[in-house]
Amino acid sequence: MKYRIVEQTRPGGLLAQVYREVLAPAFPPEEIESESSVAETLEAGLGSLLVAVDESGKPAGAAFGRWWEASRVQMLVNLAVGPGTRGHGLGGRLLQDAVDVWRERYDPCLIVAEIESPDARMVHEAYGDPRRRLGFYESAGARVLDLPYFQPGIGGVSRRVNGMLLLAIHADPSFTPDRPDRLSGKPLRSFMTDYLLAAEGQAPSDWDAKALFKAIDREGGVPMGRWGTSA
Ligand SMILES: CC(C)(COP(=O)(O)OP(=O)(O)OC[C@H]1O[C@@H](n2cnc3c(N)ncnc32)[C@H](O)[C@@H]1OP(=O)(O)O)[C@@H](O)C(=O)NCCC(=O)NCCS
């Protein structure tokens, strides 16, 4: 099967079909924002949806990214390939295309993604295997940030997801000023502040958030590397 990758930066188009058939089935409900929230991000001019369509025009995979202008951080919010198509290179192609498009558009930038830690149990076959997923990103050059990371709660603090990792998929050298394996805390702090506020509706004051920001602010930057070796 041949696929072509198309990008849309406005709501409408393939969004409803992609959301319902590709993205929503691939994630536990607490790890994916609503279709209307994705549409709002696109409406605001901050979203990018790359869709892999087959020869009949049916979506087989998608990558959705959101731009955080103040910190110059692009977040790969969701990447998914339909279960029947996994393991044939389409996810890798989508990731590479997304990184190329976003680097070109937002340079200089940092591209991040959040994934379940490989320590997490496999919740459901449809959501994929956390270990293999980490392998997928590491093969694409992503590095794990040494942070006590949690996914901000979509809709409130009580919906946070623990046991997540934050990955740097791409980091412009201006974000690693001291050493290539140390990410500057400044853009990360700005990004996490905006992200937590947008997701949870209020600035956090709890210990988990304090620990996260303390780790972000540590001297010399945030270590990043392969999982289990970045500390
Ligand atoms: C992760 C994912 C996008 C990869 O897409 P893909 O087209 O299968 O990937 P490719 O064929 O380009 O690369 C193969 C690699 O993908 C990963 N992969 C393949 N099937 C997978 C699955 N069921 N679960 C997790 N990772 C998988 C493996 O690392 C695999 O390499 P391996 O065969 O050496 O183990 C896809 O498996 C998926 O949609 N998973 C569910 C949703 C998800 O986890 N998204 C990522 C978080 S944003």
Side-chain angles (χ1 to χ4, degrees), residues 22-23 25-27 31 60-62 76-83 85-94 113-116 122 125-137 139:
V22 178
L23 295 179
F27 295 93
E31 287 182 28
L76 171 63
V77 183
N78 299 111
L79 169 67
V81 166
T85 315
R86 287 177 197 166
H88 294 94
L90 190 57
R93 214 179 119 195
L94 265 168
E114 52 196 3
I115 62 166
E116 286 161 14
M122 187 164 158
E125 206 176 321
Y127 306 146
D129 176 346
R131 239 166 225 287
R132 292 185 69 201
R133 188 181 307 127
L134 176 65
F136 167 81
Y137 281 106
S139 309

Side-chain angles (χ1 to χ4, degrees), residues 26-42:
F27 295 93
E30 65 278 12
E31 287 182 28
I32 184 164
E33 58 190 279
S34 66
E35 186 181 331
S36 59
S37 164
V38 174
E40 273 167 33
T41 301
L42 289 164

